[in-house]
Amino acid sequence: TLKLNPTTESPPKPPADHRELGISSSLFTSSIYSPGSPLFLPNGAYVFNRLVSFLRAQYALFGFREVVTPTIYKKSLWERSGHWENYADDMYEVTGRGARGTKNNTATEQDQDEEFGLKPMNCPGHCLLFGSEKRSYRDLPIRYADFSPLHRNEISGALSGLTRVRRFHQDDGHIFCRNSQILEEISNTLRFIGMVYDTFKLGPYKLVLSTRPEDHYIGTVNEWDKAEAQLREALDASGREWSINDGDGAFYGPKIDIILKDSDGKEHQTATVQLDFQLPQRFELSYDTPESGTDRPVLIHRAIFGSLERFMALLIEHYNGRFPFWIAPRPCIILSVTDRDDVKQYAKDVQQTLSGLRHYENEQIQPARLDKVHIPVDIDTSARSLQKKILEAKNKGYNHIVVIGPRDLDISPRTVTVEVHAQADAEDACKLQIAGHSGIPRFENYTVNILLES
Amino acid sequence: TLKLNPTTESPPKPPADHRELGISSSLFTSSIYSPGSPLFLPNGAYVFNRLVSFLRAQYALFGFREVVTPTIYKKSLWERSGHWENYADDMYEVTGRGARGTKNNTATEQDQDEEFGLKPMNCPGHCLLFGSEKRSYRDLPIRYADFSPLHRNEISGALSGLTRVRRFHQDDGHIFCRNSQILEEISNTLRFIGMVYDTFKLGPYKLVLSTRPEDHYIGTVNEWDKAEAQLREALDASGREWSINDGDGAFYGPKIDIILKDSDGKEHQTATVQLDFQLPQRFELSYDTPESGTDRPVLIHRAIFGSLERFMALLIEHYNGRFPFWIAPRPCIILSVTDRDDVKQYAKDVQQTLSGLRHYENEQIQPARLDKVHIPVDIDTSARSLQKKILEAKNKGYNHIVVIGPRDLDISPRTVTVEVHAQADAEDACKLQIAGHSGIPRFENYTVNILLES
Ligand SMILES: [Zn+2]
Ligand SMILES: [Zn+2]
């Protein structure tokens, strides 16, 4: 049998808690004014954005196109989607304060439907997008991706860190396709999930198929059987271990859950792939068939990370706070051995070279190119002892520590020495991120000489 | 005198309307369920994300770090910031439906302060972030950037396209600095603004300084005088034309507005730089001074694009729907002359080469690198006549049209011909975006031969 989380040979004891690591690495904070809505500090936002960028880069490969959709919709939308009734307690209600009479509105405006729901999901909005244009079978599959913030009204007693929250983001995706396209879409989604989890060295994971419930379901048995057959075929072809939860599907369609076991032995449901025969019906979605008729598309909900907040919590604990280089908010710091002016200046040059910001000093700033990879390299040229500075840098979890002393000034051509500090898989990270970045080479040993430009 | 919008030699008649162009280019749509909250279709989201990516790439140059902050905060936060009172009619109120008694809550949870405000601005959240850690003068300036969606309850009669909306995004930034750092921060902000507007060939624009109001203001005359002197010095050094609106500043600080005149002669207030002596006081922010005391930081609100939605509307009209290559959602389409299988296959190869997706065909998908520039190249290999396909492609506003015929198969080494279709400044765009992308060369003539890889 496969061993879960093979990269974590022996789980740290006591196990890492993402809330403590979140504080010590300045990743996020919380506030009495926003229970369940964590505030990401710059370091946390950096990791967050890296995760989003990573998925965005893959979306082109998998045919997803991103959309930007509203945060609040009128109550009538949520009634149409069924959320207002079925999701009642978990939703936030929004009203314009002006509409309540505070504002000097005309009668017409006051009479309007001014009751909104704060979205807990993106699906209804994506149905509106699909329905906003006439669709032909030639256009399908249509795949929308959305990183919008979502809100669910969890009771305050349960709120904690990044895992029990009221506000979160999903790497949400919705595929509108024909019945005959289910197999290929599910197969590609499972490949996508595998690629992502392999990149982060998470897993192995369990795939669990939930099938048609006995009594209460929409559509025909034949429709369900055909869809489930395609899911089974995709699962077989995935080469991953999978099992069945018979009859455990939602009334509106079968689904596949991805169950990850963390180093603590705790299971997490992260990615999910959910078929939906209902929403396309509620929103009366259709496309023109080759036979000059119309048909209703199937909707596939899918998320790879699931909740970005929860996925970050998992990564923080999985890496024990030491992120791989390519998503690390503290990838590198430059320390000066002395506070001699020429050493400090040289340290600053090294910082600028490694971070790719050398031209910032010029009066005439040229726009940075969009494909420029920027590494947030920090610097400490304070007059404190080198030992103190190294200790602090290690405590802060920098991946690399570069020490600059007077002797470095004499070396020609100028190079710096990088001390690699207890980090997971720099190599893979570099493959993904850094190749092509002139300042930082691939790290293979614990000491690397970097040739500085110019 | 400088001519406004020199790139638009003669304004189109009738002037372009971003709402019509938005529909014909499939950029965005609206819904009865979300008045004032436009839904960005994939093409519009592409432009939106390009604009965000562009700014993000520059943030590293200007020392901004992005944060991710909540959408709703308790009423008590907005009371503290003053928004609950001063911004009353423009804010949305949020309540958990469960908290109203629908949910089977315990008494403790029902008693809680469960009234929230949907944020109209990011500033209070950024003040919480600044206040979440102890700050020293050495840490300043601290510069936060945030692309969060914001909501303001505009009356429904005024809603229109991307310019009069209830939901929008700002390229919002807040600088916390010492009084003595105002000059440098304002100077850098003005350089940043200049760089961005030059890139989009917008402008020239007017800079307008609004100074201390006669009667109602916080702080001392001396504080205002010192701050205003720094603003004047920065304006002088900017090399741009500027004027004064005497006494027109807010009671909490002086500001600089950027006024852009569009091709229609209409003026738009876009970027803004606003000093604030009040919020740091309301949130009791402080930092340790070199003299072992504490002092209150100055807060500078600043936005370069202003509202991203409004900036997009401006760009759509400014370019008359023909975006520069590097932000164009339809940069290129491949058309086949016939529907012969070998021609169609070759057309597909060309598409994959130009878009950088050639390896998608492989069974084993490798993750795309984050610095990979992906060009959304479309393809039309339908059996319709070439003329029809070209006409449709031109109507859809593709920047480049690549035609593939049987004769292209015989050329060795294989090249394709790109017909450049009436587009604004491909060259500059390529400089920013494309240099280094192997598939697409710099366009200098109306016909370009592209050497295909492998
Ligand atoms: Zn969904
Ligand atoms: Zn602000």
Side-chain angles (χ1 to χ4, degrees):
Chain A
T1 59
L2 287 167
K3 193 168 161 293
L4 285 172
N5 293 312
T7 53
T8 312
E9 280 307 329
S10 50
K13 292 188 192 306
D17 184 319
H18 80 275
R19 289 167 301 182
E20 284 163 36
L21 291 166
I23 292 167
S24 62
S25 302
S26 295
L27 295 174
F28 60 90
T29 185
S30 62
S31 157
I32 52 163
Y33 297 114
S34 63
S37 292
L39 295 91
F40 286 97
L41 291 157
N43 284 352
Y46 182 84
V47 178
F48 183 96
N49 281 340
R50 278 303 210 219
L51 294 177
V52 170
S53 299
F54 172 72
L55 269 201
R56 276 196 179 128
Q58 316 315 323
Y59 278 167
L61 303 181
F62 288 94
F64 277 88
R65 297 200 65 193
E66 210 174 319
V67 294
V68 177
T69 56
T71 306
I72 63 176
Y73 293 95
K74 289 199 169 178
K75 181 180 159 186
S76 46
L77 176 92
W78 302 110
E79 285 170 343
R80 187 166 187 185
S81 71
H83 287 89
W84 197 260
E85 195 191 322
N86 304 324
Y87 224 72
D89 294 345
D90 297 315
M91 271 183 71
Y92 285 99
E93 195 173 311
V94 180
T95 43
R97 288 179 68 200
R100 290 197 162 174
T102 326
K103 191 159 192 165
N104 186 19
N105 273 342
T106 66
T108 329
E109 272 143 13
Q110 277 174 339
D111 290 345
Q112 281 186 125
D113 164 21
E114 286 289 347
E115 215 172 338
F116 298 84
L118 194 53
K119 73 172 162 189
M121 298 182 185
N122 292 307
C123 350
H126 292 189
C127 288
L128 294 180
L129 283 176
F130 183 92
S132 73
E133 292 178 14
K134 196 167 168 56
R135 309 292 180 181
S136 143
Y137 71 93
R138 279 187 222 88
D139 305 325
L140 302 188
I142 285 177
R143 306 181 196 87
Y144 294 136
D146 200 323
F147 292 104
S148 285
L150 303 172
H151 290 81
R152 296 183 191 169
N153 189 10
E154 301 280 340
I155 58 168
S156 58
L159 303 176
S160 162
L162 298 180
T163 47
R164 299 301 299 264
V165 291
R166 288 175 167 176
R167 178 197 197 247
F168 62 103
H169 302 72
Q170 276 190 324
D171 62 319
D172 208 4
H174 291 102
I175 303 169
F176 298 88
C177 69
R178 306 170 71 182
N179 276 296
S180 58
Q181 293 172 322
I182 293 174
L183 170 61
E184 193 178 342
E185 292 308 308
I186 299 294
S187 293
N188 278 334
T189 302
L190 294 179
R191 286 161 79 197
F192 196 169
I193 291 169
M195 189 186 93
V196 171
Y197 284 69
D198 287 350
T199 298
F200 291 99
K201 294 200 166 34
L202 292 167
Y205 48 78
K206 287 194 290 190
L207 294 166
V208 182
L209 171 65
S210 296
T211 57
R212 179 174 53 82
E214 190 100 356
D215 298 322
H216 179 51
Y217 56 89
I218 69 162
T220 66
V221 172
N222 185 38
E223 275 173 345
W224 278 80
D225 286 349
K226 275 189 185 163
E228 286 178 8
Q230 295 185 71
L231 296 189
R232 281 164 206 265
E233 196 178 333
L235 284 164
D236 280 337
S238 74
R240 310 250 173 188
E241 211 186 330
W242 66 276
S243 60
I244 296 193
N245 266 353
D246 234 343
D248 208 39
F251 75 94
Y252 51 86
K255 66 168 178 173
I256 298 171
D257 285 324
I258 283 74
I259 312 287
L260 196 72
K261 199 180 271 187
D262 70 15
S263 53
D264 223 11
K266 212 176 135 197
E267 292 194 333
H268 302 267
Q269 193 250 300
T270 52
T272 183
V273 194
Q274 166 84 57
L275 259 62
D276 192 335
F277 302 123
Q278 187 204 28
L279 272 189
Q281 195 173 304
R282 282 183 175 261
F283 284 90
E284 293 169 6
L285 304 181
S286 73
Y287 64 88
D288 295 340
T289 62
E291 300 79 24
S292 311
T294 63
D295 207 346
R296 207 175 288 302
V298 182
L299 170 57
I300 304 174
H301 312 254
R302 76 101 190 93
I304 313 272
F305 291 151
S307 152
L308 259 117
E309 279 77 0
R310 200 148 41 101
F311 194 79
M312 262 181 77
L314 261 171
L315 289 184
I316 293 169
E317 297 186 359
H318 178 67
Y319 296 125
N320 199 13
R322 308 247 176 255
F323 292 100
F325 186 74
W326 68 285
I327 53 170
R330 286 174 171 156
C332 184
I333 189 168
I334 317 287
L335 307 179
S336 62
V337 173
T338 77
D339 64 341
R340 248 174 56 185
D341 277 347
D342 54 350
V343 172
K344 281 162 74 176
Q345 183 55 49
Y346 186 43
K348 209 174 162 193
D349 288 350
V350 172
Q351 179 199 22
Q352 291 183 344
T353 302
L354 294 185
S355 64
L357 295 180
R358 182 175 279 264
H359 55 304
Y360 183 37
E361 293 294 283
N362 301 339
E363 257 314 291
Q364 183 66 29
I365 298 185
Q366 290 300 315
R369 275 169 38 176
L370 302 204
D371 63 348
K372 178 88 190 161
V373 173
H374 162 70
I375 313 283
V377 179
D378 289 333
I379 188 167
D380 181 353
T381 55
S382 65
R384 299 175 305 161
S385 80
L386 182 62
Q387 260 176 319
K388 259 195 187 151
K389 293 198 273 191
I390 288 180
L391 189 69
E392 188 180 292
K394 289 192 171 180
N395 283 339
K396 284 188 168 177
Y398 282 93
N399 292 45
H400 302 288
I401 299 171
V402 177
V403 176
I404 303 284
R407 271 174 305 178
D408 290 309
L409 300 177
D410 303 329
I411 298 166
S412 177
R414 287 188 167 180
T415 59
V416 289
T417 298
V418 175
E419 178 190 342
V420 176
H421 175 233
Q423 63 151 13
D425 48 38
E427 211 206 349
D428 265 20
C430 292
K431 220 185 288 168
L432 266 176
Q433 177 61 37
I434 299 307
H437 189 278
S438 59
I440 302 205
R442 301 270 298 275
F443 298 95
E444 269 147 27
N445 303 304
Y446 277 82
T447 304
V448 183
N449 291 318
I450 296 180
L451 183 62
L452 296 173
E453 299 168 300
S454 78
Chain B
T1 61
L2 289 167
K3 195 170 159 292
L4 284 172
N5 294 312
T7 52
T8 312
E9 281 305 329
S10 50
K13 294 186 192 309
D17 184 319
H18 82 274
R19 289 167 302 184
E20 284 162 36
L21 291 166
I23 292 167
S24 62
S25 303
S26 295
L27 295 175
F28 60 91
T29 186
S30 61
S31 156
I32 52 162
Y33 297 114
S34 63
S37 291
L39 293 91
F40 285 98
L41 291 156
N43 283 352
Y46 181 84
V47 178
F48 184 95
N49 281 341
R50 279 301 211 220
L51 295 177
V52 170
S53 300
F54 173 72
L55 270 201
R56 276 196 179 129
Q58 315 316 321
Y59 278 167
L61 303 182
F62 288 95
F64 278 87
R65 299 201 66 193
E66 211 174 317
V67 294
V68 177
T69 55
T71 305
I72 63 176
Y73 293 96
K74 290 200 169 178
K75 182 180 160 186
S76 46
L77 176 91
W78 303 109
E79 285 171 342
R80 186 165 188 185
S81 71
H83 287 90
W84 198 260
E85 194 190 324
N86 303 323
Y87 224 70
D89 295 346
D90 297 314
M91 271 183 73
Y92 284 99
E93 194 173 312
V94 180
T95 44
R97 287 178 68 200
R100 288 196 164 175
T102 325
K103 190 161 193 162
N104 187 20
N105 274 341
T106 66
T108 329
E109 271 142 16
Q110 277 174 341
D111 290 344
Q112 281 185 126
D113 163 21
E114 285 291 346
E115 214 172 338
F116 299 85
L118 194 53
K119 74 173 161 189
M121 298 182 184
N122 292 307
C123 350
H126 292 189
C127 287
L128 293 181
L129 283 177
F130 183 92
S132 73
E133 292 177 14
K134 195 166 169 59
R135 308 293 179 180
S136 143
Y137 70 95
R138 280 186 221 90
D139 305 324
L140 303 189
I142 285 176
R143 306 181 196 89
Y144 295 135
D146 200 324
F147 291 104
S148 286
L150 304 171
H151 290 81
R152 296 183 190 171
N153 188 12
E154 301 279 339
I155 57 168
S156 60
L159 303 176
S160 163
L162 298 179
T163 47
R164 300 299 299 265
V165 291
R166 287 174 168 175
R167 180 196 197 247
F168 63 103
H169 302 72
Q170 275 190 324
D171 62 318
D172 208 4
H174 291 102
I175 304 167
F176 297 88
C177 68
R178 306 170 72 180
N179 276 298
S180 58
Q181 294 172 320
I182 293 174
L183 170 60
E184 193 178 343
E185 291 308 309
I186 299 294
S187 293
N188 279 334
T189 302
L190 294 179
R191 286 161 80 198
F192 197 169
I193 292 169
M195 189 186 91
V196 171
Y197 283 69
D198 287 352
T199 298
F200 292 99
K201 295 202 165 37
L202 293 167
Y205 48 78
K206 286 194 289 191
L207 294 166
V208 182
L209 170 66
S210 294
T211 57
R212 177 173 55 80
E214 191 98 1
D215 297 323
H216 180 52
Y217 56 88
I218 69 161
T220 67
V221 171
N222 185 36
E223 275 174 343
W224 280 79
D225 286 350
K226 275 188 185 164
E228 287 178 8
Q230 295 185 72
L231 297 188
R232 281 164 207 266
E233 196 177 333
L235 285 163
D236 280 337
S238 75
R240 311 252 174 185
E241 210 184 331
W242 66 276
S243 61
I244 295 193
N245 266 352
D246 235 342
D248 208 38
F251 76 92
Y252 52 85
K255 66 168 177 171
I256 298 172
D257 285 325
I258 282 74
I259 312 287
L260 196 73
K261 198 180 273 189
D262 70 15
S263 53
D264 223 13
K266 210 175 136 198
E267 291 193 334
H268 302 266
Q269 193 249 301
T270 52
T272 184
V273 194
Q274 166 84 57
L275 260 62
D276 192 335
F277 302 123
Q278 187 205 28
L279 272 190
Q281 195 173 305
R282 281 182 177 261
F283 283 89
E284 293 171 7
L285 305 181
S286 72
Y287 64 89
D288 295 340
T289 61
E291 300 80 21
S292 312
T294 64
D295 207 347
R296 207 174 286 303
V298 182
L299 170 58
I300 303 175
H301 313 255
R302 76 101 189 92
I304 313 272
F305 292 150
S307 152
L308 259 115
E309 279 77 0
R310 198 149 42 101
F311 194 78
M312 262 182 77
L314 261 172
L315 289 185
I316 293 169
E317 298 186 359
H318 178 67
Y319 296 126
N320 199 15
R322 306 247 177 257
F323 292 101
F325 186 75
W326 68 284
I327 52 171
R330 286 172 171 158
C332 185
I333 189 168
I334 318 286
L335 308 179
S336 62
V337 173
T338 78
D339 62 343
R340 251 175 53 186
D341 277 347
D342 55 349
V343 172
K344 280 162 73 175
Q345 183 54 51
Y346 186 43
K348 211 175 161 192
D349 288 349
V350 172
Q351 180 199 21
Q352 291 183 342
T353 302
L354 294 185
S355 63
L357 295 181
R358 180 175 281 265
H359 55 304
Y360 183 37
E361 293 294 284
N362 301 338
E363 258 314 291
Q364 184 65 31
I365 297 185
Q366 289 300 315
R369 277 170 36 177
L370 301 203
D371 63 348
K372 178 89 190 162
V373 172
H374 162 69
I375 314 285
V377 179
D378 288 332
I379 188 165
D380 182 354
T381 55
S382 64
R384 299 176 304 161
S385 81
L386 182 62
Q387 259 176 318
K388 260 196 188 150
K389 293 198 274 190
I390 288 181
L391 189 68
E392 188 180 290
K394 288 193 172 179
N395 285 340
K396 284 189 170 176
Y398 282 93
N399 293 44
H400 301 290
I401 299 171
V402 177
V403 176
I404 303 284
R407 271 174 303 177
D408 290 309
L409 299 178
D410 304 328
I411 299 167
S412 175
R414 288 188 166 179
T415 59
V416 291
T417 298
V418 176
E419 179 190 342
V420 176
H421 176 233
Q423 62 149 16
D425 48 39
E427 212 208 346
D428 266 19
C430 292
K431 221 184 289 169
L432 265 175
Q433 177 60 35
I434 299 304
H437 187 279
S438 59
I440 302 203
R442 300 271 297 275
F443 297 96
E444 269 146 31
N445 304 305
Y446 277 83
T447 305
V448 183
N449 290 317
I450 296 181
L451 184 62
L452 296 175
E453 298 168 300
S454 78

